[in-house]
Amino acid sequence: MSLQSTSSIGDATVLAQIKVISGKCIEERRRKERKTQEQLASDVGIGVRWLREIESGNPKSSIEDHLRCASGVGLPASYFLIPLMFMDHKMAFPRQLLLDDMAALEEYCIRCIGDYYVDTISSRLRPPVSKSSPPEAEA
């Protein structure tokens, strides 16, 4: 999904909600890490005023800026990307997930992707099962 393609009103509303929650998560983590806005802004290469806008959930903030700030405070990208996957598939996202630590969910998703890939590759490498008739019983 192109991030530019979220143009319908429903998608824009969901994206705006994700940005609000994302901003709160960034602010909470920044405070937990005892970083000032000035420190985080400097770490990720943005202005303090723009960081305030991101933390307040400004809908004009970019996904890239949210991801950079999230990374700057040690939040995994999954807290932002998983809701986008739900949105792309027109599925309701349980907002409570964003307020929890998503590290375990992220690890589970990565394992599932890895397992799926291994299963797909191994099925391609297995010889096809012949559909011959069962051997006739000896009389």
Side-chain angles (χ1 to χ4, degrees):
M1 171 182 127
S2 165
L3 297 177
Q4 306 299 325
S5 70
T6 58
S7 59
S8 75
I9 292 176
D11 287 353
T13 301
V14 171
L15 191 54
Q17 290 175 351
I18 291 170
K19 287 179 180 179
V20 167
I21 294 171
S22 168
K24 289 178 184 176
C25 290
I26 290 166
E27 180 180 15
E28 286 175 17
R29 182 60 71 97
R30 177 184 58 75
R31 290 177 187 269
K32 182 179 177 183
E33 297 293 317
R34 298 178 188 253
K35 278 190 174 185
T36 65
Q37 287 179 325
E38 291 78 10
Q39 289 170 322
L40 178 57
S42 175
D43 290 350
V44 299
I46 62 173
V48 175
R49 184 172 178 194
W50 190 238
L51 176 58
R52 285 187 191 117
E53 293 292 322
I54 290 168
E55 288 185 349
S56 71
N58 183 330
K60 292 183 180 183
S61 59
S62 70
I63 293 171
E64 180 184 356
D65 287 341
H66 279 263
L67 291 173
R68 286 171 43 206
C69 290
S71 176
V73 293
L75 284 171
S78 60
Y79 90 100
F80 200 79
L81 298 176
I82 290 174
L84 287 174
M85 290 189 314
F86 273 76
M87 185 175 71
D88 189 38
H89 291 276
K90 309 288 188 247
M91 297 172 66
F93 180 74
R95 291 181 59 179
Q96 184 61 33
L97 277 179
L98 285 178
L99 302 175
D100 294 333
D101 182 11
M102 293 182 65
L105 179 59
E106 184 177 86
E107 288 178 27
Y108 179 76
C109 289
I110 291 168
R111 258 194 324 276
C112 286
I113 292 167
D115 292 346
Y116 175 82
Y117 180 72
V118 168
D119 290 346
T120 301
I121 295 299
S122 65
S123 70
R124 290 179 186 166
L125 297 175
R126 283 188 218 121
V129 177
S130 65
K131 294 185 179 184
S132 62
S133 56
E136 293 181 22
E138 293 180 23

